[in-house]
């Protein structure tokens, strides 16, 4: 099985070690043709800068292929990736893709200097770096983890999103990477059965 990582900008490399430790192949995706490949079972939208990612997705004509991918296969948005996956974004408002029915507030946990790590989701620690806050959760969204009363790991249908960075966790693979691999395996198995 092969999982893709959107590699236009952001924290790409740390995911490679986690996914390889989970026993899957990885492809760094930089083109719409790669995104359309039937070999890719799931996609990670990494942490980084969501407005920059949007501009690059536009520039490389990847937005329509990304929507087609999301309609068939799992996507995991991390920090900036969770902003792209949200239904609505504030502070400031920006375009997003509505892959998960949540509203997010950008940079809600503070500036880069106010970043912090805490033990969450079965890991020794995960990092919050200029993280968004999920301020509304739709009726079909499953909250898998909270921090200080706020949802920080959610899923809906094929997809999941985290407002923190599990790729910086020292254990490899992280609990979240194992969960995403299992989600991709399940989706791939169901897709093969329906053919």
């Amino acid at each position: 099985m092969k999982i893709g990582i959107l590699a236009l900008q952001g924290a790409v490399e740390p995911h490679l070690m986690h996914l390889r430790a989970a026993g899957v192949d990885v492809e760094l995706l930089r083109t719409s043709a790669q995104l359309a490949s039937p070999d890719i079972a799931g996609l990670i939208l990494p942490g980084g800068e969501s407005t920059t990612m949007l501009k690059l997705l536009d520039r490389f004509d990847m937005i329509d292929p990304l929507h087609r991918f999301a309609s068939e296969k799992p996507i995991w948005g991390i920090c900036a990736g969770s902003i792209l996956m949200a239904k609505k974004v504030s502070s400031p408002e920006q375009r997003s893709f509505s892959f998960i029915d949540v509203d997010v507030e950008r940079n809600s946990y503070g500036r880069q200097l106010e970043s912090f790590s805490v033990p969450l989701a079965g890991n020794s620690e995960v990092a919050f770096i200029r993280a968004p806050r999920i301020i509304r959760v739709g009726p079909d969204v499953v909250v898998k983890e909270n921090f200080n009363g706020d949802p920080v790991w959610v899923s809906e249908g094929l997809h999941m999103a985290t407002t923190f960075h599990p790729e910086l966790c020292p254990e490899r693979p992280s609990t979240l990477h194992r969960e995403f691999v299992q989600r991709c395996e399940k989706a791939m198995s169901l897709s093969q059965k329906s053919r």
Side-chain angles (χ1 to χ4, degrees):
M1 186 175 73
K2 187 182 289 186
I3 290 178
I5 306 170
L6 184 69
L8 300 178
Q9 189 270 338
V12 173
E13 294 294 323
H15 290 289
L16 291 171
M17 294 174 281
H18 287 277
L19 292 171
R20 288 178 178 149
V24 298
D25 292 330
V26 184
E27 185 168 343
L28 302 182
L29 305 183
R30 296 184 177 94
T31 68
S32 57
Q34 286 178 296
L35 192 54
S37 168
D39 297 335
I40 306 298
L43 175 67
I44 291 176
L45 300 179
E49 219 303 307
S50 60
T51 53
T52 301
M53 287 183 194
L54 276 172
K55 288 175 185 173
L56 292 171
L57 285 164
D58 251 335
R59 180 179 299 165
F60 296 114
D61 296 317
M62 294 179 76
I63 290 179
D64 287 341
L66 182 62
H67 278 278
R68 284 192 293 276
F69 190 101
S71 70
E72 300 172 353
K73 299 176 183 179
I75 298 179
W76 174 18
I78 298 157
C79 197
S82 71
I83 293 169
L84 295 179
M85 294 184 75
K87 186 168 189 175
K88 184 177 178 186
V89 179
S90 60
S91 293
E93 289 185 17
Q94 75 173 45
R95 180 181 179 188
S96 56
F97 301 132
S98 295
F99 295 157
I100 295 183
D101 186 12
V102 295
D103 296 348
V104 299
E105 181 180 76
R106 296 176 64 193
N107 302 322
S108 191
Y109 290 93
R111 299 177 183 188
Q112 188 106 10
L113 291 173
E114 298 165 294
S115 301
F116 60 95
S117 295
V118 293
L120 275 182
N123 297 289
S124 62
E125 60 180 37
V126 297
F128 285 79
I129 305 169
R130 293 178 59 217
R133 186 183 310 269
I134 296 173
I135 57 175
R136 186 198 62 83
V137 174
D140 296 326
V141 174
V142 176
V143 176
K144 298 179 73 73
E145 185 85 29
N146 285 291
F147 174 68
N148 287 347
D150 293 318
V152 293
W153 175 17
V154 296
S155 68
E156 183 179 18
L158 294 169
H159 310 306
M160 65 186 231
T162 54
T163 60
F164 54 86
H165 291 264
E167 73 276 13
L168 302 178
C169 174
E171 297 97 352
R172 294 185 188 125
S174 76
T175 303
L176 281 290
H177 287 85
R178 283 196 303 270
E179 162 89 13
F180 188 62
V181 168
Q182 290 167 0
R183 185 175 289 262
C184 293
E185 287 171 341
K186 183 178 177 182
M188 198 167 64
S189 174
L190 289 171
S191 173
Q192 289 168 348
K193 285 178 184 173
S194 68
R195 286 180 192 160

